[in-house]
Amino acid sequence: MNLYNYEDIRAVHLEITEKCQATCPMCDRNVKGGRDNPNLGDKNGLHELSVTDIQKILPPEFVKQLDRLYMCGNFGDPIIASDTLEVFSYLREHNSTMKLGMNTNAGAKKPDWWRQLAKALGKNHYIRFSFDGLGDTNHMYRQGVNWDIAWENAMAFIEAGGIAHWDYLIFAHNEHQVEEAELLSKEKGFDKFIAKKTGRFFSTMTKQTKEEHQAFDHKGAQQQLLQKPKEVKYQNNAMKDIIKLEEKHGSLEKYYDNVKIKCKVAEEKSMYLSAEGLVLPCCWVAGSMYKFWQKPGENQVWQLLQQSGGKDVFDAKTHGVKSVLSNEYFTGRLVDSWSKANVHLGKPIVCAQKCGEEFDAFAAQFDD
């Protein structure tokens, strides 16, 4: 069974670069806020797509069929890429109505760049500013982000007509500022304020919940001790479901074996394009390829790719999106894997974790 066909695609999740000036401690680009993830990049450095790459991978006729494209991803921040403005301009030139979006920490570039961004995006767009606190707390998670620079850039974007969303991850150290931040967002012209009940206190490495996460810097020195919110109303409700799942299935591992998978991106007709140029279903599958605690090639994601011809056949810079989506991985192998008897026999644990019908920490971030 096909996941989807080339002509079906209506949304693209684009990670234009693996580069970022920040070192957020729960980001896979680094090891707990310290040294860089050793599995990223190649001999030439971290991966990044140029406007020429995008024009080749996403030709005008493909861009015209899209309803939405947003830049986010697993490792980088789009504002660090060299050609982000040019890419948005190209996309808007060939599709005047699609929604364009971007997630960013906003701590780079000058205000004039942000004014140009507002112009390049056109009418139907948003920029989601990841501000996890205020001037005295944002840096505790967004390590390496200068609040004054980030705030000035956000204001420049809004004043130039840009549509801004404030994306606020709630921790113990910033939960006392949620209401203040929301009032400030309205005062300063943000279109939305999104208070997120983070699912980051569930470890995909240990497959367990945790109460805290110790941050480090590049020298290995301890930084902020990140803790989940104390107030129940700010905690991710899906974390409580784990106990129920363990009681129902016997263990979390058994839940992954048993759960029915309802693929989010199949419903949305959305594909993921990595900074490496790989076309994959989603950021969760792509992110599982380069966890810092695993050697590339060792986990289930790699096994499915290798069974389908190897990583290189997913390279859209070489083969194009249409060719990649016609690969057996998309035309049957991935969907068939969801029906495997258990994880040990090939049912992808990343799919069970992210799209299992009984547990969704991602969606629970946005619960009222």
Side-chain angles (χ1 to χ4, degrees):
M1 178 180 172
N2 280 21
L3 186 69
Y4 40 50
N5 299 308
Y6 176 82
E7 58 272 15
D8 296 331
I9 300 298
R10 293 294 175 266
V12 173
H13 180 178
L14 168 61
E15 178 155 35
I16 193 171
T17 184
E18 292 175 344
K19 301 172 185 175
C20 186
Q21 93 287 10
T23 57
C24 303
M26 290 171 157
C27 173
D28 282 338
R29 199 180 63 83
N30 57 69
V31 182
K32 299 182 180 180
R35 64 186 177 91
D36 290 344
N37 182 336
N39 295 325
L40 294 184
D42 55 26
K43 62 182 180 180
N44 298 314
L46 295 175
H47 297 110
E48 182 169 305
L49 296 172
S50 67
V51 66
T52 303
D53 292 328
I54 295 297
Q55 289 167 343
K56 183 179 180 181
I57 297 169
L58 308 178
E61 62 272 18
F62 182 72
V63 173
K64 285 180 172 67
Q65 79 181 42
L66 299 178
D67 297 326
R68 181 168 64 104
L69 181 144
Y70 62 104
M71 294 188 191
C72 185
N74 296 307
F75 309 116
D77 193 304
I79 61 176
I80 303 301
S82 297
D83 292 351
T84 296
L85 283 179
E86 292 79 3
V87 168
F88 275 132
S89 295
Y90 164 73
L91 295 168
R92 183 55 78 205
E93 176 187 355
H94 294 288
N95 190 323
S96 62
T97 59
M98 68 187 295
K99 177 164 281 190
L100 295 173
M102 184 175 86
N103 289 44
T104 179
N105 65 57
K109 296 291 196 290
K110 300 293 185 182
D112 187 58
W113 186 92
W114 289 88
R115 287 187 279 268
Q116 292 179 58
L117 177 62
K119 182 178 179 181
L121 289 168
K123 291 183 179 180
N124 191 16
H125 75 266
Y126 68 90
I127 297 297
R128 189 161 286 180
F129 291 89
S130 297
F131 292 164
D132 306 321
L134 299 171
D136 59 336
T137 52
N138 185 60
H139 65 282
M140 293 180 180
Y141 180 69
R142 299 285 161 183
Q143 293 184 162
V145 176
N146 182 297
W147 172 260
D148 292 333
I149 292 173
W151 187 255
E152 183 182 21
N153 288 337
M155 294 301 99
F157 177 74
I158 292 171
E159 289 162 8
I163 300 170
H165 299 171
W166 185 329
D167 202 47
Y168 191 115
L169 285 174
I170 308 173
F171 298 94
H173 65 260
N174 66 11
E175 64 184 319
H176 64 290
Q177 295 175 317
V178 173
E179 293 179 1
E180 181 183 354
E182 184 170 12
L183 288 172
L184 182 63
S185 74
K186 293 176 181 176
E187 177 187 327
K188 295 299 183 180
F190 285 85
D191 191 60
K192 288 183 181 179
F193 181 84
I194 305 157
K196 288 172 67 175
K197 302 171 183 179
T198 180
R200 285 165 170 77
F201 289 96
F202 177 79
S203 171
T204 55
M205 179 170 64
T206 64
K207 302 177 184 64
Q208 295 178 333
T209 58
K210 54 185 178 180
E211 297 296 313
E212 56 189 33
H213 184 95
Q214 180 63 60
F216 296 88
D217 63 18
H218 278 94
K219 296 180 180 178
Q222 290 188 354
Q223 299 299 305
Q224 179 70 26
L225 180 64
L226 300 168
Q227 297 175 306
K228 72 178 188 181
K230 307 301 181 189
E231 290 196 47
V232 174
K233 67 178 181 178
Y234 293 142
Q235 294 174 4
N236 189 302
N237 287 326
M239 298 297 106
K240 302 172 188 174
D241 293 337
I242 292 176
I243 297 173
K244 297 176 184 176
L245 293 177
E246 290 174 334
E247 291 175 350
K248 177 179 177 180
H249 296 276
S251 69
L252 201 54
E253 287 74 17
K254 286 290 186 182
Y255 162 71
Y256 296 141
D257 289 341
N258 298 335
V259 69
K260 184 178 179 181
I261 292 168
K262 187 176 182 181
C263 179
K264 294 180 174 72
V265 297
E267 289 191 344
E268 297 170 357
K269 300 296 186 285
S270 172
M271 69 171 222
Y272 179 79
L273 177 61
S274 79
E276 197 174 355
L278 304 180
V279 171
L280 293 163
C282 63
C283 62
W284 297 307
V285 166
S288 296
M289 294 174 66
Y290 299 115
K291 297 295 186 183
F292 71 82
W293 64 83
Q294 288 179 324
K295 290 182 180 179
E298 289 187 346
N299 67 25
Q300 289 177 311
V301 168
W302 282 96
Q303 290 165 10
L304 274 178
L305 298 184
Q306 288 158 356
Q307 291 166 11
S308 306
K311 186 186 79 169
D312 289 347
V313 304
F314 294 82
D315 185 350
K317 289 191 291 186
T318 302
H319 304 289
V321 173
K322 193 169 189 177
S323 174
V324 176
L325 293 182
S326 67
N327 181 275
E328 60 187 295
Y329 175 91
F330 286 100
T331 62
R333 192 179 296 277
L334 177 61
V335 176
D336 289 347
S337 72
W338 300 338
S339 300
K340 298 287 186 181
N342 54 56
V343 169
H344 296 292
L345 291 177
K347 184 176 183 177
I349 192 168
V350 63
C351 298
Q353 287 175 336
K354 302 301 182 181
C355 291
E357 289 191 330
E358 298 176 52
F359 176 74
D360 194 342
F362 175 78
Q365 293 183 111
F366 307 99
D367 290 345
D368 292 331

